[in-house]
Amino acid sequence: DAKTTQPTSMDCAEGRAANLPCNHSTISGNEYVYWYRQIHSQGPQYIIHGLKNNETNEMASLIITEDRKSSTLILPHATLRDTAVYYCIVRTPGANSKLTFGKGITLSVRP
Amino acid sequence: DSGVTQTPKHLITATGQRVTLRCSPRSGDLSVYWYQQSLDQGLQFLIQYYNGEERAKGNILERFSAQQFPDLHSELNLSSLELGDSALYFCASSDTFSGNTIYFGEGSWLTVV
């Protein structure tokens, strides 16, 4: 699986949009971009994934650049409960396909 | 609630002992994954089973073993425990459909004293 690069940390104000960047310059054509988050010592929580089109669900939006070398996870109205480590992972879906976690980005939402 | 159930939630045991962690995947999910998270190592993939068969192996020690039963639940066995085995152990599951999205349980916290 291709590797990803994320900043170590960022913060944003409560109620504002949080834009979390991720670089995956070696992504291949059949690899998807997945985002998970982990709130202190809880199980990683699936957020969203996409191949090349932008995706939106009830939690977040995922914007993937046209060349697919980078993406941005957008939490439209961050709350204190969104404070967590966010992981951007590139993966080819399949029965034998695992998730390889990096260090992720720590998002701190301030009041 | 992801639908993945892990027991026990917390476990304290002595060095040299053996423990078994149990995982019930989401209903219908055929794949089960085990991960270890210690303070200084992050989330490390240990092993994956698919419909009862081992499919992938990661950084799993020889003292550790796992299996997936016909009812699809899985167990992770940790033996000859050392202090360094203290960690959170996560189980995850995925189905063959819906893009194989992987969902995690809440983990079993193992403390070796």
Side-chain angles (χ1 to χ4, degrees):
Chain A
D1 294 333
K3 289 192 174 180
T4 64
T5 304
Q6 300 178 254
T8 303
S9 64
M10 66 176 292
D11 62 17
C12 75
E14 190 175 20
R16 304 298 295 269
N19 298 307
L20 287 70
C22 180
N23 286 323
H24 31 79
S25 58
T26 60
I27 193 170
S28 61
N30 61 348
E31 289 181 312
Y32 284 65
V33 179
Y34 286 78
W35 283 85
Y36 283 75
R37 73 180 182 184
Q38 186 175 26
I39 298 170
H40 184 62
S41 296
Q42 295 180 19
Q45 179 187 22
Y46 166 76
I47 301 173
I48 199 167
H49 74 282
L51 181 62
K52 53 184 177 181
N53 297 322
N54 298 337
E55 302 288 344
T56 296
N57 63 20
E58 65 279 4
M59 289 184 67
S61 294
L62 174 61
I63 309 298
I64 302 174
T65 58
E66 193 169 342
D67 64 6
R68 303 209 321 123
K69 293 185 177 181
S70 66
S71 60
T72 301
L73 179 74
I74 301 173
L75 307 179
H77 304 287
T79 71
L80 298 179
R81 287 176 295 181
D82 292 322
T83 293
V85 179
Y86 287 76
Y87 298 95
C88 169
I89 301 167
V90 170
R91 168 187 179 241
T92 303
N96 297 335
S97 174
K98 64 186 185 296
L99 291 166
T100 300
F101 289 84
K103 295 187 186 302
I105 178 173
T106 299
L107 172 67
S108 300
V109 180
R110 61 181 188 276
Chain B
D1 181 6
S2 67
V4 179
T5 304
Q6 292 187 246
T7 57
K9 287 186 169 38
H10 296 91
L11 188 58
I12 301 175
T13 190
T15 54
Q17 295 298 305
R18 171 190 170 95
V19 299
T20 297
L21 309 180
R22 182 188 168 98
C23 171
S24 294
R26 296 185 322 149
S27 177
D29 284 1
L30 299 179
S31 276
V32 169
Y33 308 77
W34 286 97
Y35 284 79
Q36 178 192 55
Q37 186 174 35
S38 51
L39 282 175
D40 57 349
Q41 289 288 339
L43 278 154
Q44 299 287 318
F45 169 72
L46 294 178
I47 198 164
Q48 178 207 355
Y49 279 81
Y50 178 82
N51 203 20
E53 293 187 5
E54 181 184 305
R55 280 299 180 95
K57 231 173 184 177
N59 302 321
I60 187 166
L61 300 172
E62 285 192 11
R63 301 183 285 108
F64 297 179
S65 65
Q67 55 184 331
Q68 185 180 28
F69 295 87
D71 67 352
L72 301 179
H73 90 272
S74 178
E75 292 180 355
L76 179 66
N77 300 297
L78 315 174
S79 62
S80 302
L81 285 167
E82 303 174 358
L83 296 178
D85 298 327
S86 296
L88 261 171
Y89 291 85
F90 290 107
C91 172
S93 73
S94 70
D95 60 24
T96 310
F97 313 101
S98 304
N100 297 117
T101 300
I102 297 175
Y103 296 92
F104 285 78
E106 287 305 309
S108 292
W109 190 286
L110 172 66
T111 301
V112 183
V113 297

